[in-house]
Every structure is written in C-alpha cells, then in structure tokens.
Amino acid sequence: MYHLSDNSVLDNFILAKELMKLAGISPNAFRYWKECVSAKFDKSRIVYLHKHFIHKKYHHLIPKCTSLDGLIQSAPFCRYTNLPSSHLTKSNNSTLYKLFDIKMIEGVKFINLKSFLDKFELDYSYTIYIEKCKYFAPLEKKIRLSKSLCLGYY
C-alpha cells in the first residue's frame, strides 16, 4: 500500500470501492491479488487501485469505473491548501464553492485540482495555499479568490 502526498492527483487510479462493487466482490479482495498496486492518502481509509495493476479477470470493468484523472480527495486538498472543509459544502454558501469542480463518487468527495489550477493559469508543479488576504506579504504571489481569501503560490 502506497501513501499519497496531499497534493497527488489520482491520474491512472480508480476507486477500489467502485471496482469491487462493479465486480460484485468483497471490498478487500484486492489485498489478495498478486502485484496489485494500491494507494491511499494519509489519514484516510479510502483506497485507490492503479489501473495497470488490476487483476486480469477484472480488466473489462476498468472502463466502467469513473475516471479520477485530475482529481484529488477533498480532505487531502484541504490539508494541502490550508482551506477549511466548510468551503466545500454547498449549503454553507461559500463564495469559493463555485470555483471548484466537485464530484461525488461512491460517497467520496473529490476536487478537480487540475481544472482549478488551469482556471488560474498556474503550473501543476506549483505549491498552493489559501488563506485570508490580510496575512499575505506585499510581494507574495497571490490571486484574490473572494473579498477576504487569496490563493498563494510558489
């Protein structure tokens, strides 16, 4: 089991829960497959399987699984950007909610990190963080997201 960093996008991975549901097998069956590559984010129980290391018997199900390209689980995204998770809840009426491409897959919330970075024309290799604009230094690189919040990058 590999541990993903909080800024890792899930390109080439599928949600284990979704594949197991489609296959009609136990959610932990992948643990007994030879050469299976699985991963999860720190402090998370959600498991992802690398598409190229799925048991041959289930290869036909991979196209039926939702593509996770460009996506990141919401909790690691919040840790990575220092954003409170309340901004990712529609009912909280956060002005930032509209800026994110949010997907729910099998009860797991994902943010499209690549589309978010593309929206602001930022390189995928940048480190980003979101905090109140008043805490930014005058020469610090930032993009205003709302009246009070800014996106910093380097």
Side-chain angles (χ1 to χ4, degrees):
M1 175 85 59
Y2 291 100
H3 289 273
L4 301 168
S5 63
D6 287 342
N7 64 341
S8 296
V9 292
L10 296 166
D11 295 352
N12 295 313
F13 282 93
I14 57 174
L15 187 60
K17 182 179 180 180
E18 185 177 28
L19 179 69
M20 300 302 133
K21 186 176 180 181
L22 288 169
I25 57 178
S26 166
N28 292 318
F30 70 91
R31 294 179 190 267
Y32 303 102
W33 296 346
K34 272 188 171 181
E35 301 175 12
C36 179
V37 174
S38 60
K40 67 179 186 172
F41 290 100
D42 285 334
K43 302 176 187 173
S44 176
R45 294 182 359 200
I46 309 299
V47 178
Y48 305 95
L49 303 175
H50 198 286
K51 291 178 185 179
H52 302 295
F53 297 94
I54 303 285
H55 193 284
K56 289 180 233 171
K57 185 177 179 180
Y58 303 106
H59 273 240
H60 69 284
L61 295 174
I62 294 172
K64 294 179 182 180
C65 292
T66 309
S67 172
L68 301 180
D69 291 350
L71 300 182
I72 182 172
Q73 195 177 324
S74 63
F77 176 81
C78 289
R79 285 193 303 268
Y80 172 56
T81 60
N82 200 32
L83 181 71
S85 60
S86 60
H87 288 283
L88 303 179
T89 306
K90 187 175 186 176
S91 61
N92 286 346
N93 295 321
S94 170
T95 55
L96 295 186
Y97 183 83
K98 297 172 190 103
L99 296 176
F100 301 112
D101 179 13
I102 298 174
K103 284 187 175 185
M104 288 293 286
I105 305 167
E106 292 292 325
V108 182
K109 188 182 287 189
F110 294 93
I111 309 295
N112 192 325
L113 180 60
K114 286 187 175 180
S115 74
F116 180 72
L117 294 173
D118 289 345
K119 191 178 292 185
F120 298 105
E121 299 176 358
L122 297 174
D123 191 80
Y124 299 149
S125 64
Y126 282 173
T127 298
I128 61 172
Y129 52 99
I130 300 172
E131 61 182 55
K132 293 191 177 196
C133 296
K134 66 182 181 181
Y135 296 125
F136 280 81
L139 298 177
E140 205 168 353
K141 293 180 182 179
K142 66 182 176 191
I143 298 170
R144 186 172 287 278
L145 300 176
S146 70
K147 285 182 179 181
S148 61
L149 294 173
C150 288
L151 168 72
Y153 59 96
Y154 57 91

